[in-house]
Amino acid sequence: MHASCSCSWESKTIPPRRDNDWDLQSRFKLKSKLKMYLLPGLSFGVILYWLLSTYTLGSLGREDRLGLEGLLEETRGGPGHSGVGGFIVERSWAQYSPYFPVEEYKAPPSGCTIDQINIIQRHGARFPTSGSSKTIISAVTKLKAVQDTLVDPKMDFIRNYTYDLGTDDLVEFGAVQSSQAGEEAFNRYSHLVSPDNLPFIRADGSERVVLSATNWTEGFSIASSLNIPLSSILIIPQDSNDTLDDNMCPAAGSSDEQTGEWLGAWGPDVTTRLEEGAPGANLTLEETYALGTLCAFDTVAHTSTPPNPSTSKDTRTSKLKLKLSPWCNLFTQTDFKALEYAGDLDKFYGTGYGQPLGPVQGVGYINELLARLTDSPVKDHTQTNRTLDSNEETFPLGRGLYADFSHDNQMIAIYSAMGLFPQSSPLPPVPPSNKPDPSRTWKVSEMVPFGARMVVERLSCSGSSYASASGSTDKDKFVRVLVNDKVMPLAFCGASQEGSCRLDKFVESQAYARNDGEGDFEKCFDV
Ligand SMILES: *[C@@H]1O[C@H](CO)[C@@H](O)[C@H](O)[C@H]1NC(C)=O
Ligand SMILES: *[C@@H]1O[C@H](CO)[C@@H](O)[C@H](O)[C@H]1NC(C)=O
Ligand SMILES: *[C@@H]1O[C@H](CO)[C@@H](O)[C@H](O)[C@H]1NC(C)=O
Ligand SMILES: *[C@@H]1O[C@H](CO)[C@@H](O)[C@H](O)[C@H]1NC(C)=O
Ligand SMILES: *[C@@H]1O[C@H](CO)[C@@H](O)[C@H](O)[C@H]1NC(C)=O
């Protein structure tokens, strides 16, 4: 059972976890088991506090704001392509950008209180997938092969460089950011949870997603001083009906055509420049792109911790710091803008509006969201698992806080199914003069960076400007959607200036989901 998490104290109090597969029968026993290991809550708490006080969990301390500031400093100090004109290099890495809030969080409009939240969050920073690491490794190998005849001094580091990244897994920085997201969620929404109204948490079955969820849960619980025990996590296997992954639409196409066109436009010049610095390396266009992504992957994989955290009394110095990888120095600001646009195209034509069968893959989640927002059973005939969703143990209604853990492609499908980030025309695979429009509103770095989150807040509002009629509770309910802390305008449901829509208008606006994708889901199987 996936009750709770694989935390460091798990062996002391929590039964060992099984494989990534959800056992409904044991789920039924969960409540009693939870009681069993939470009843001796005192000793549990004591152990945890001891751990905290000995800094074993120091990286989770409240003061401990992770690395981005540190990273920004590094970036501004970096050569050539940083700080200039407000350009922040690590925010140009599209889906490989580390999480950052796009705007400062704003409290809901006055007269409104939040009475439910639904979070869907991407796993934290990870290693390259096994597929993309193959190209990265071949590029690095080619450069190493000519390391004795490198011409560009910025490439000198290659002589001493050893590629040491794993594949697919969450990196430490990603784990810490996930935990901080849990801490932030508690600090922001603590009034919605209590020992009798625990967060309800689900994760797609991929390991990095599950670990992001357990780290989040740990951060949440610690921020609550353990008043909120570690929640159980419902893990949804990837080979089953899964609303947290884009795995159920075999006929959906890919973005290869559009990203290939774009690479053909910006890649040759950059490849030529790299070749001039490393004569004889013979990099392909794909390898040039791969080296650009290595800047991001190598950076998030190598965090520095202070030499002696246990002797330091200042938790601020014990934070993880990102330091830009030397690979980043091989690319200019213009290159990074091109790389960023490659990510934007990839997601737009992968599961976004540019993919005819993209948005439909987000429908199952939207229907689950509507069920939670309206406290009524799920109505869906797409990706949901009807067995899970019709059981109150595995799909409870009436909770204050729901958190689901997922992937970038799936979150893009969900945004597009909902109608977020609307586009008046498709993204051009090759923009005029090879310059991506800087004012475009489809920027993947701001949509699905590592650790990205969409939060749907249900508001309960009173007062003349909000409640149009008294007596009916539904009329006092509003919805606000934030993506990475930026309030979405929700024009599709007639939102106020402040971005809140009446709940009934919001539900009405979700006709595509309520109609099971209006025939698109069936097309998923026309292969
Ligand atoms: C957090 O994630 C890391 C992997 O990146 C993992 O080793 C650790 O066990 C996780 N911690 C919890 C509490 O889930
Ligand atoms: C590579 O490592 C050697 C030995 O540690 C060192 O002397 C040299 O300065 C390093 N070169 C670069 C370019 O970092
Ligand atoms: C639905 O969930 C149940 C309970 O976990 C599981 O046994 C079943 O395999 C799932 N079915 C599908 C089609 O996903
Ligand atoms: C690049 O191509 C040249 C000519 O085909 C070849 O001699 C050389 O070995 C290649 N370099 C690498 C690193 O593979
Ligand atoms: C899984 O989804 C398919 C497609 O909608 C559906 O036919 C099937 O009944 C679902 N299975 C469960 C257990 O919900």
Side-chain angles (χ1 to χ4, degrees):
M1 130 162 29
H2 294 281
S4 191
C5 70
S6 60
C7 312
S8 45
W9 59 89
E10 172 176 299
S11 53
K12 300 188 180 79
T13 39
I14 300 174
R17 54 194 292 167
R18 293 210 211 129
D19 273 333
N20 284 358
D21 130 299
W22 180 253
D23 181 337
L24 195 63
Q25 284 224 296
S26 38
R27 185 69 182 81
F28 282 119
K29 294 180 205 141
L30 177 66
K31 268 193 179 158
S32 52
K33 283 208 176 158
L34 255 178
K35 273 187 204 130
M36 259 172 54
Y37 66 73
L38 292 174
L39 262 180
L42 191 61
S43 54
F44 180 68
V46 166
I47 291 167
L48 187 55
Y49 273 119
W50 175 78
L51 285 170
L52 271 170
S53 64
T54 55
Y55 276 91
T56 310
L57 293 171
S59 65
L60 297 165
R62 235 170 246 230
E63 282 294 292
D64 191 12
R65 286 277 128 240
L66 163 70
L68 264 191
E69 287 154 75
L71 178 58
L72 296 185
E73 281 156 26
E74 298 287 344
T75 307
R76 286 197 198 92
H81 48 76
S82 52
V84 186
F87 181 76
I88 297 173
V89 63
E90 73 278 11
R91 295 187 183 180
S92 74
W93 296 340
Q95 66 271 30
Y96 308 131
S97 297
Y99 176 76
F100 63 96
V102 175
E103 279 184 5
E104 197 178 329
Y105 178 78
K106 286 184 204 70
S110 64
C112 298
T113 54
I114 301 170
D115 71 10
Q116 182 191 78
I117 70 155
N118 295 273
I119 300 173
I120 181 159
Q121 179 155 327
R122 186 185 179 203
H123 58 76
R126 60 159 167 80
F127 289 127
T129 58
S130 52
S132 38
S133 69
K134 284 200 187 88
T135 321
I136 295 175
I137 289 167
S138 79
V140 172
T141 308
K142 282 182 176 182
L143 289 171
K144 296 282 293 180
V146 297
Q147 66 181 12
D148 294 332
T149 51
L150 294 171
V151 173
D152 184 347
K154 286 200 212 112
M155 292 185 174
D156 281 350
F157 78 93
I158 292 171
R159 293 190 191 107
N160 284 0
Y161 182 80
T162 312
Y163 183 81
D164 63 353
L165 306 187
T167 51
D168 298 308
D169 294 338
L170 193 67
V171 297
E172 188 190 11
F173 181 79
V176 174
Q177 277 205 323
S178 301
S179 157
Q180 289 186 336
E183 180 190 338
E184 181 187 84
F186 177 80
N187 291 336
R188 200 171 280 172
Y189 300 116
S190 57
H191 67 285
L192 298 176
V193 293
S194 70
D196 298 327
N197 190 347
L198 296 176
F200 187 77
I201 300 175
R202 301 185 304 177
D204 163 71
S206 113
E207 187 180 340
R208 60 179 177 270
V209 175
V210 174
L211 287 172
S212 297
T214 51
N215 272 276
W216 188 96
T217 305
E218 185 187 61
F220 192 95
S221 185
I222 291 172
S224 78
S225 306
L226 301 185
N227 282 327
I228 306 300
L230 296 164
S231 306
S232 62
I233 294 172
L234 174 59
I235 294 169
I236 309 202
Q238 293 195 297
D239 59 0
S240 70
N241 289 15
D242 179 2
T243 55
L244 303 176
D245 192 27
D246 59 328
N247 65 344
M248 283 181 68
C249 190
S254 83
S255 59
D256 290 354
E257 189 186 321
Q258 291 80 11
T259 50
E261 248 186 273
W262 177 229
L263 182 57
W266 67 269
D269 285 356
V270 181
T271 307
T272 303
R273 199 185 65 228
L274 293 175
E275 189 71 21
E276 280 162 13
N282 314 333
L283 295 172
T284 64
L285 291 184
E286 286 73 21
E287 287 163 346
T288 295
Y289 173 73
L291 288 174
T293 65
L294 179 55
C295 152
F297 287 127
D298 201 41
T299 300
V300 296
H302 293 113
T303 40
S304 53
T305 33
N308 253 330
S310 54
T311 59
S312 166
K313 275 288 152 208
D314 179 8
T315 52
R316 279 177 179 280
T317 61
S318 73
K319 72 186 174 186
L320 290 179
K321 271 200 170 177
L322 285 184
K323 189 171 172 305
L324 279 187
S325 156
W327 291 104
C328 304
N329 290 340
L330 304 188
F331 298 92
T332 66
Q333 202 180 116
T334 309
D335 299 342
F336 281 115
K337 287 178 178 170
L339 286 155
E340 174 178 34
Y341 194 61
D344 297 347
L345 288 170
D346 179 31
K347 301 303 157 194
F348 186 79
Y349 291 100
T351 47
Y353 295 114
Q355 171 56 246
L357 298 180
V360 70
Q361 300 180 67
V363 160
Y365 177 83
I366 300 284
N367 284 330
E368 292 177 331
L369 172 67
L370 295 178
R372 290 166 173 174
L373 289 170
T374 58
D375 293 314
S376 49
V378 179
K379 289 194 210 109
D380 178 79
H381 301 92
T382 67
Q383 285 181 206
T384 48
N385 181 325
R386 273 61 118 191
T387 311
L388 294 175
D389 283 10
S390 59
N391 184 324
E392 67 159 37
E393 294 286 323
T394 49
F395 198 89
L397 296 170
R399 296 286 178 101
L401 190 157
Y402 298 90
D404 288 313
F405 291 84
S406 180
H407 299 268
D408 53 352
N409 292 339
Q410 181 58 5
M411 286 172 66
I412 292 285
I414 289 166
Y415 296 166
S416 305
M418 187 186 283
L420 299 181
F421 304 99
Q423 300 295 304
S424 52
S425 55
L427 262 66
V430 179
S433 343
N434 281 358
K435 279 211 168 74
D437 177 2
S439 63
R440 69 193 180 281
T441 53
W442 186 274
K443 279 199 166 183
V444 163
S445 326
E446 299 183 0
M447 297 166 74
V448 287
F450 288 132
R453 61 215 66 162
M454 174 179 82
V455 180
V456 179
E457 297 178 341
R458 190 178 69 188
L459 310 174
S460 186
C461 304
S462 58
S464 51
S465 60
Y466 280 95
S468 44
S470 51
S472 160
T473 48
D474 259 11
K475 289 216 168 98
D476 304 334
K477 299 278 189 209
F478 287 76
V479 166
R480 192 168 79 137
V481 179
L482 300 101
V483 173
N484 303 325
D485 283 358
K486 180 178 174 161
V487 178
M488 298 287 105
L490 302 193
F492 55 74
C493 49
S496 65
Q497 282 287 320
E498 290 136 321
S500 8
C501 274
R502 278 179 39 178
L503 175 59
D504 55 359
K505 294 286 177 210
F506 179 78
V507 173
E508 219 174 282
S509 73
Q510 297 303 303
Y512 181 69
R514 287 186 294 106
N515 296 326
D516 293 317
E518 299 178 339
D520 287 347
F521 190 66
E522 288 69 24
K523 294 185 195 152
C524 281
F525 304 95
D526 290 348
V527 275

